[in-house]
Amino acid sequence: MGRFTLPRDLYHGKGSLEELKNLSGKKAIVVVGGGSMRRFGFLDKAVGYLKEAGMEVELFENVEPDPSVETVMKGAEKMREFEPDWIVSMGGGSPIDAAKAMWAFYEYPETTFEDLITPFNFPTLRTKAKFCAIPSTSGTATEVTAFSVITDYDKGIKYPLADFNITPDVAIVDPDLAETMPKKLTAHTGMDAMTHAIEAYVSTLHCDYTDPLALHAIKMIHRDLKASFDGDMEARDRMHNAQCLAGMAFSNALLGIVHSMAHKTGAAYSGGHIVHGCANAMYLPKVIKYNAQNEEAALRYAEIASFIGLQGEDTAGLVDALIAELKSMNASLEIPSCIKEYEGGIIDEKEFMDKLPEVAKLAISDACTGSNPRVPTPEEMEKLLKACFYDEEIDF
């Protein structure tokens, strides 16, 4: 038996933020990030609409990129004090992911973070509050997914939390918010969305319900991401829809080892974080090459290539064409080809190699690995990670 879960209501299109005034409740807490929603006026609009709905409103601001366990606990404590019946989170993936985890600790204060790390192990939510998510970036699609990524900085590990309980009740996908993204963020979030769609299409849990969403998202992203990066706001608006479709696909089909590797390399090194979307973009071509040794995965990669108009004499040729096209997209979006080149070389080579066995082990144990078409051995994962560091071509 399969399961397909999405928000109860999804409002989309310009001006759809106004739908907040139709929520029914007494108290709403709004969770936001570092200030862009306030700077561009969207936070004030959201608060105004919620007050128009007759709600008392409290704010929890300054959720950091790659939100921490500590931030989650602080937000949950504020929720327990305020007792909202709506949690509204707006911004990039970070504040929405953080708010999802806060939700669990608000409703179940005795729950531990260790309890939630086990996939699909959340307690039953909505005993105190419902959840509304409003994305300002076009990548994570956390507004429609059963996932949240929280970082334990003491351990240097990003944990993907997974449970259908944390799929929002309401998603508001208003492209006006996405039009404020800077170029680099547009590139990284766009390739994050591309990775979501491709991994969902080749996942071992793909199905007839997820395949059309994944394929159409891939086609839209392939067509519109570069134009969005270059400032075409009509393309930017379409990308906001495309990333949401990709999210619908991967929330139900799950992901693969591109994400496993991105999760476990993101916060592992002292030189700095590897931004999640950029990591996905760098790792995706290598993982496709590795996964394509699986015959069914190769056929599905070939189907993707054909669907977006690429040419190849046979399955292997189409897979190679897809890899080449993704590398070309990365280059056009000013995304580096490997970790060694990331941000001018902030990831130290010796530290990377010293931590390689442990990072490889953690990547294999990541929640996303189980639905990958091939489950790598520790040796294979180390090879993949090294290839992503040096941009090496490896035959598996």
Side-chain angles (χ1 to χ4, degrees), residues 371-389:
S371 46
N372 195 69
R374 290 182 74 187
V375 177
T377 65
E379 293 76 19
E380 288 173 334
M381 181 56 80
E382 287 188 30
K383 272 185 163 183
L384 266 172
L385 287 164
K386 281 181 66 178
C388 291
F389 188 86

Side-chain angles (χ1 to χ4, degrees), residues 182-210:
K183 286 187 72 169
K184 182 179 281 191
L185 185 60
T186 300
H188 291 170
T189 55
M191 288 307 294
D192 189 20
M194 178 65 94
T195 306
H196 290 156
I198 291 176
E199 289 210 294
Y201 194 71
V202 301
S203 162
T204 58
L205 296 176
H206 77 85
C207 67
D208 290 339
Y209 295 88
T210 60

Side-chain angles (χ1 to χ4, degrees), residues 43-104:
L43 180 57
D44 287 343
K45 279 187 178 181
V47 170
Y49 291 141
L50 290 166
K51 287 182 176 179
E52 194 173 338
M55 291 196 227
E56 182 183 348
V57 182
E58 185 69 67
L59 300 180
F60 185 88
E61 299 185 76
N62 300 311
V63 174
E64 73 273 40
D66 301 314
S68 65
V69 176
E70 289 75 19
T71 294
V72 167
M73 296 306 183
K74 287 178 185 175
E77 182 179 0
K78 186 159 189 176
M79 289 177 186
R80 289 192 293 270
E81 293 170 358
F82 182 60
E83 298 184 336
D85 48 15
W86 274 101
I87 299 166
V88 177
S89 188
M90 63 189 305
S94 294
I96 299 174
D97 279 6
K100 286 180 175 181
M102 292 172 192
W103 188 15

Side-chain angles (χ1 to χ4, degrees), residues 273-316:
H273 281 204
I274 304 175
V275 173
H276 178 72
C278 187
N280 282 337
M282 293 188 294
Y283 306 165
L284 182 59
K286 305 297 185 193
V287 170
I288 291 175
K289 187 73 171 177
Y290 171 79
N291 282 343
Q293 300 304 306
N294 174 290
E295 184 177 353
E296 183 180 349
L299 288 170
R300 293 185 72 77
Y301 288 130
E303 287 172 2
I304 291 170
S306 295
F307 192 73
I308 60 174
L310 304 181
Q311 302 295 316
E313 292 185 2
D314 53 17
T315 296

Side-chain angles (χ1 to χ4, degrees), residues 40-306:
F40 290 110
F42 294 114
L43 180 57
D44 287 343
K45 279 187 178 181
V47 170
Y49 291 141
L50 290 166
K51 287 182 176 179
E52 194 173 338
M55 291 196 227
E56 182 183 348
V57 182
E58 185 69 67
L59 300 180
F60 185 88
E61 299 185 76
N62 300 311
V63 174
E64 73 273 40
D66 301 314
S68 65
V69 176
E70 289 75 19
T71 294
V72 167
M73 296 306 183
K74 287 178 185 175
E77 182 179 0
K78 186 159 189 176
M79 289 177 186
R80 289 192 293 270
E81 293 170 358
F82 182 60
E83 298 184 336
D85 48 15
W86 274 101
I87 299 166
V88 177
S89 188
M90 63 189 305
S94 294
I96 299 174
D97 279 6
K100 286 180 175 181
M102 292 172 192
W103 188 15
F105 292 111
Y106 165 45
E107 299 203 358
Y108 295 90
E110 72 282 1
T111 296
T112 67
F113 189 70
E114 286 68 28
D115 292 333
L116 303 186
I117 291 171
T118 303
F120 301 96
N121 192 48
F122 272 64
T124 300
L125 298 179
R126 296 168 181 80
T127 64
K128 296 179 181 177
K130 293 182 179 179
F131 195 101
C132 175
I134 309 164
S136 65
T137 61
S138 302
T140 70
T142 189
E143 73 276 5
V144 293
T145 75
F147 295 93
S148 164
V149 179
I150 305 298
T151 301
D152 185 328
Y153 285 91
D154 290 338
K155 296 180 180 177
I157 297 175
K158 287 187 178 183
Y159 290 105
L161 309 181
D163 197 284
F164 288 114
N165 267 290
I166 57 173
T167 304
D169 298 279
V170 174
I172 297 177
V173 185
D174 188 333
D176 285 342
L177 279 69
E179 290 183 5
T180 65
M181 285 192 297
K183 286 187 72 169
K184 182 179 281 191
L185 185 60
T186 300
H188 291 170
T189 55
M191 288 307 294
D192 189 20
M194 178 65 94
T195 306
H196 290 156
I198 291 176
E199 289 210 294
Y201 194 71
V202 301
S203 162
T204 58
L205 296 176
H206 77 85
C207 67
D208 290 339
Y209 295 88
T210 60
D211 282 352
L213 293 165
L215 278 178
H216 191 61
I218 292 165
K219 188 172 187 177
M220 290 179 72
I221 296 164
H222 181 248
R223 180 192 67 199
D224 291 323
L225 178 52
K226 180 59 166 64
S228 174
F229 177 75
D230 289 337
D232 181 333
M233 288 303 156
E234 289 186 4
R236 181 78 56 88
D237 294 354
R238 292 191 295 270
M239 275 296 303
H240 211 42
N241 289 335
Q243 64 87 31
C244 189
L245 295 174
M248 293 178 186
F250 91 77
S251 186
N252 292 280
L254 305 187
L255 293 163
I257 60 171
V258 178
H259 273 77
S260 302
M261 294 160 64
H263 291 151
K264 296 313 187 262
T265 56
Y269 309 110
S270 59
H273 281 204
I274 304 175
V275 173
H276 178 72
C278 187
N280 282 337
M282 293 188 294
Y283 306 165
L284 182 59
K286 305 297 185 193
V287 170
I288 291 175
K289 187 73 171 177
Y290 171 79
N291 282 343
Q293 300 304 306
N294 174 290
E295 184 177 353
E296 183 180 349
L299 288 170
R300 293 185 72 77
Y301 288 130
E303 287 172 2
I304 291 170
S306 295

